[in-house]
Amino acid sequence: MATRTAAVTAAAAAAAAAAARAAAGARLVVFTRVVLDTSELEVEPGGFWHGAEAALCEVHAEAGGTIEEASGCLQLDFANQTIGGGVLRNGCVQEEIRFLICPELIVSRVLLETLADNEALLASGFERVSRYSGYAASFRFEGGFEEPAAAAAASRLLAIDARRFGRHERLSQYEAHNLERELNKAYAGFSAPDAPPDAPPDPPPAPLPVCTGNWGCGAFGGDVQLKAVVQLLAASAAGRPALRYLTFGDAGLAEQLSRVCAALRARGVTVGQLATLLLDFVPASWPPQPDASAGNVADLFGYLLEAAGAGAGAGAGAGAGAGAGAGSADEYAPPTEDAPPAPACDQDDDATDDDDATDVDEEDDEGH
């Protein structure tokens, strides 16, 4: 009886505290560690990704805008394995900038150890307090920012860390074990509930769209086309209604991604079918287009467009508009791979590389 009385008393105290916060207009900042059992989420034939029947979600790719301005979305933090990266040292790229303009997020460094491959962090209720301009070396404080209380209360930030690939390892990100790791990492995060744990259970909120960008690219060496497809697969499998993808000024990438996703959706390609195409892709047989985005190591988009029946070689630099292709989704087949081999990875002169950097927390992803 004493235990039950104590529990009732604690519950009443918690309810009273919540009521007091509401009366005072106080915010509650919540950090939720999200853990997903990925032991059976395999990409090989017979595994979860191979057989997933979910339809692909909508994709809205834009060259302008920033993730922190995307209201009504689950916003992505391109996290380091140690949350916050170099925010308390010399870091000043996507994750660090977000923590600087929303300093309540820095508290998460006290609460969270390094992220495991099946973990993500969801932050909610935090406030933005400053404006800024620039990025990395050009970053500048531009004064205070007054965020409405309702907007702060509705804030949702998801932190997931990508795997790092050095200059000579970039083709390896297409290997099955690396694809599986990145798919499962993104899926673990995108499957997180949007509401904080203390939210009323009824009615359950509709899933939010995800606002993201070039996660794991830049200094981490990710292929921009591959990372976009990985996030499309994960968001679709997690039941997200849409992916809002910001390319940080790269209009060509936004146009190409829109075309590829429209073609795949018009063809009725499922998550499992797209994952199978991705697993069958041979990057050395599909070298980047001459005008490809920095950080692109293979013409994955061209391969997928051919698979969708939207025209061979229509990757980077292709015109806008979706090609539907003929036949049903069940009739597609991977394209043949008879293109010349790609140049060696060490010939990539991506200006955002930072392989010689001593601080691995400096992720230079141009995706905010």
Side-chain angles (χ1 to χ4, degrees):
M1 177 64 71
T3 302
R4 183 176 180 181
T5 302
V8 171
T9 302
R21 284 197 305 270
R27 285 180 297 106
L28 179 64
V29 181
V30 179
F31 298 95
T32 305
R33 190 167 191 170
V34 180
V35 182
L36 181 68
D37 181 3
T38 59
S39 60
E40 297 183 359
L41 302 184
E42 300 176 341
V43 297
E44 300 292 350
F48 170 81
W49 290 104
H50 186 269
E53 298 180 352
L56 299 179
C57 68
E58 295 181 2
V59 175
H60 307 284
E62 309 165 37
T66 59
I67 291 177
E68 64 268 14
E69 295 171 343
S71 60
C73 291
L74 177 63
Q75 301 172 358
L76 203 68
D77 167 20
F78 305 164
N80 287 266
Q81 187 178 26
T82 300
I83 199 72
V87 65
L88 298 181
R89 298 193 301 279
N90 60 343
C92 202
V93 288
Q94 199 264 1
E95 179 173 50
E96 289 89 351
I97 290 174
R98 191 60 189 268
F99 278 50
L100 289 171
I101 66 174
C102 306
E104 290 166 328
L105 294 173
I106 299 175
V107 174
S108 64
R109 293 174 62 89
V110 179
L111 307 175
L112 189 70
E113 309 110 46
T114 56
L115 292 167
D117 285 347
N118 64 335
E119 291 181 318
L121 175 70
L122 179 66
S124 61
F126 57 90
E127 182 182 18
R128 178 181 174 183
V129 300
S130 60
R131 302 179 184 275
Y132 74 97
S133 63
Y135 190 80
S138 65
F139 176 82
R140 296 290 182 274
F141 170 70
E142 298 290 356
F145 181 88
E146 293 189 9
E147 185 169 42
S155 60
R156 300 289 184 272
L157 183 72
L158 175 70
I160 54 174
D161 59 300
R163 179 162 287 175
R164 184 183 179 92
F165 297 96
R167 180 183 294 272
H168 303 287
E169 302 173 319
R170 292 191 169 181
L171 287 178
S172 71
Q173 63 192 284
Y174 282 95
E175 295 174 2
H177 66 101
N178 285 323
L179 291 174
E180 184 172 292
R181 191 275 180 190
E182 300 297 76
L183 283 167
N184 288 344
K185 168 63 71 167
Y187 181 60
F190 295 166
S191 299
D194 294 324
D198 64 341
D202 295 318
L208 294 173
V210 175
C211 185
T212 184
N214 299 334
W215 169 63
C217 302
F220 271 32
D223 185 321
V224 291
Q225 294 186 8
L226 174 59
K227 281 299 195 287
V229 173
V230 163
Q231 292 181 87
L232 168 62
L233 284 167
S236 302
R240 296 289 171 179
L243 196 68
R244 184 180 176 192
Y245 197 101
L246 307 182
T247 65
F248 197 59
D250 190 339
L253 178 60
E255 180 180 316
Q256 295 150 26
L257 177 59
S258 296
R259 184 176 184 222
V260 169
C261 294
L264 293 171
R265 281 170 51 84
R267 190 69 184 271
V269 175
T270 65
V271 167
Q273 290 170 338
L274 179 54
T276 300
L277 282 170
L278 186 56
L279 190 62
D280 290 341
F281 181 59
V282 180
S285 297
W286 289 83
Q289 295 288 325
D291 57 350
S293 302
N296 179 209
V297 302
D299 187 17
L300 177 60
F301 286 175
Y303 164 84
L304 293 176
L305 283 171
E306 187 170 311
S328 69
D330 294 334
E331 296 169 347
Y332 84 95
T336 57
E337 287 136 358
D338 53 4
C345 286
D346 59 5
Q347 295 176 12
D348 185 352
D349 59 353
D350 179 3
T352 62
D353 277 347
D354 193 18
D355 294 326
D356 296 327
T358 56
D359 185 357
V360 296
D361 290 337
E362 285 297 301
E363 181 174 358
D364 192 12
D365 284 307
E366 293 185 348
H368 64 271

